[in-house]
Amino acid sequence: MDAKNQVLDYLKHNRSLMGGRNLYNQLPRKSLALQNSFRRMTDTEANRSRMHYEIARSVGITERELKIILQKPIVQVTKKVDEPTPPPTEPPSLEDRLLAFKADAAEYYPSKELAKELGLKPKKSKVDLFQQIEEAKQELIQKEIDTIPLEVKASVKLRDQFPFLRKADCPDVLKILVNELISAYERFKEVQPKLHELLSADVAKHTVDVVLENYIKNKEAWDELEHYKETGNLLGKHPVFERLAAKEEIAGLSTPDLTQKIKNLENNIGRNKNKGNEDLVARDQDLLAHAKAVLEKR
């Protein structure tokens, strides 16, 4: 089973923090920094979500595909008679127990032991004990939040600003535009400060072009979201609509025409790579992947 199918199997049948950690350790193109980050994670919903996002991205599963998968319930695998007994689960870590702490349901003596393990020195009163543990819990939660990738935080903020993104009837194209907006903004923010450091006119022109291009992409995506928020209708001016229309056209081709389309796209990609047309290469690579997926299903 290849890496992508391993991840799909994990997202369908498991989704646990430990399962994701063990799976990522086996992937051929893993990041050591991310691997260490997973090792330090405590078992929280936010950390599991981040792990799902990072593992899926590492094998080419898009955020939209991931969301569709995670909306479905976990499929339990029927255990075979001769299947070996799985190893015992790890006991909850100190961080897990701290995150599970709830003052209104906590008992005094277990809480006192928890405080001792945390290195806290509360007074004898139960109120002070619970308050110090709660403060330690909030500090841990903040540390976990600080480790969430910027693109994930940005996605959460956008969904707060545009509540329709959370609704089941939200057009898929708007969810795609959220990814476009975040990617364009990140690229703009990365390159724009370099304008002040450049000496070469040629390099400066290229950087200006990148900054301008990603500023425009960001604004186009934002305009689409704002228009839908105000009117409930799609504006339809963003280039993504053209790409979706091209994909629909590909899906409607006969098998011989689809095969020819794949060859044409491969030729276009090679030609545009030689010309340095990165945007056209990215566009055609996306269409090529879609065309091959359509053909594979036939």
Side-chain angles (χ1 to χ4, degrees):
M1 187 183 297
D2 62 21
K4 185 172 182 177
N5 283 322
Q6 283 183 294
V7 172
L8 289 171
D9 187 71
Y10 159 72
L11 294 171
K12 182 178 179 182
H13 299 294
N14 191 324
R15 302 180 194 170
S16 69
L17 186 74
M18 185 183 300
R21 184 185 297 153
N22 293 337
L23 171 61
Y24 191 75
N25 290 342
Q26 300 171 22
L27 295 181
R29 296 183 178 180
K30 58 181 175 290
S31 159
L32 293 179
L34 201 55
Q35 190 177 25
N36 291 332
S37 175
F38 288 163
R39 192 179 297 118
R40 295 192 299 269
M41 279 184 177
T42 54
D43 194 2
T44 66
E45 183 176 355
N47 280 339
R48 288 194 299 273
S49 295
R50 181 191 171 194
M51 176 173 281
H52 298 158
Y53 170 81
E54 295 289 359
I55 291 180
R57 187 173 67 167
S58 70
V59 295
I61 298 172
T62 66
E63 186 177 354
R64 180 172 178 270
E65 291 172 325
L66 175 63
K67 183 174 182 180
I68 292 172
I69 294 169
L70 296 181
Q71 284 175 341
K72 298 177 182 179
I74 294 175
V75 178
Q76 298 296 333
V77 179
T78 304
K79 184 178 178 182
K80 298 179 181 178
V81 176
D82 58 349
E83 187 177 340
T85 304
T89 57
E90 294 181 357
S93 65
L94 177 60
E95 289 82 2
D96 288 340
R97 285 183 285 141
L98 177 57
L99 290 169
F101 175 81
K102 294 182 180 179
D104 56 354
E107 298 180 6
Y108 177 74
Y109 287 105
S111 300
K112 187 175 181 181
E113 183 63 28
L114 176 61
K116 183 178 178 181
E117 290 184 60
L118 291 167
L120 304 177
K121 297 180 180 180
K123 298 176 183 177
K124 292 183 178 180
S125 73
K126 181 178 178 180
V127 173
D128 184 63
L129 171 67
F130 285 5
Q131 181 179 346
Q132 286 202 29
I133 295 176
E134 184 62 36
E135 289 174 354
K137 175 181 175 180
Q138 294 306 317
E139 287 180 9
L140 177 59
I141 290 173
Q142 187 58 51
K143 287 180 181 178
E144 296 290 348
I145 291 173
D146 291 341
T147 66
I148 298 175
L150 184 59
E151 61 267 25
V152 177
K153 291 181 183 177
S155 180
V156 172
K157 289 181 180 178
L158 281 169
R159 283 167 172 78
D160 287 338
Q161 184 156 0
F162 301 109
F164 59 80
L165 292 170
R166 300 178 184 272
K167 296 182 179 179
D169 62 351
C170 175
D172 287 341
V173 65
L174 295 180
K175 298 172 185 177
I176 296 172
L177 282 171
V178 168
N179 296 332
E180 295 270 345
L181 191 150
I182 293 172
S183 299
Y185 177 70
E186 284 300 300
R187 183 65 175 145
F188 169 80
K189 196 170 67 170
E190 173 191 350
V191 177
Q192 192 273 341
K194 296 180 181 179
L195 287 173
H196 306 289
E197 305 169 4
L198 299 169
L199 297 175
S200 165
D202 291 338
V203 177
K205 182 182 182 305
H206 172 72
T207 305
V208 168
D209 290 342
V210 172
V211 170
L212 180 59
E213 175 189 352
N214 284 279
Y215 173 79
I216 292 172
K217 285 182 177 179
N218 182 279
K219 189 175 185 307
E220 287 175 338
W222 194 268
D223 288 345
E224 293 285 348
L225 295 172
E226 285 286 0
H227 183 81
Y228 188 86
K229 179 180 179 181
E230 294 174 4
T231 68
N233 297 314
L234 296 173
L235 182 60
K237 293 183 178 181
H238 194 279
V240 73
F241 289 93
E242 184 179 342
R243 293 207 305 270
L244 291 176
K247 288 184 177 182
E248 288 181 8
E249 181 182 350
I250 287 173
L253 293 175
S254 65
T255 299
D257 288 342
L258 181 58
T259 303
Q260 184 60 47
K261 182 68 174 178
I262 289 173
K263 291 180 181 178
N264 292 342
L265 286 169
E266 289 173 339
N267 291 335
N268 289 344
I269 290 170
R271 184 165 54 252
N272 286 318
K273 277 184 177 179
N274 293 332
K275 292 180 179 180
N277 294 333
E278 296 179 6
D279 285 346
L280 294 179
V281 169
R283 181 202 64 186
D284 287 344
Q285 285 176 335
D286 182 39
L287 294 177
L288 178 62
H290 176 69
K292 287 183 176 179
V294 171
L295 184 61
E296 188 177 345
K297 291 178 182 178
R298 294 185 176 180

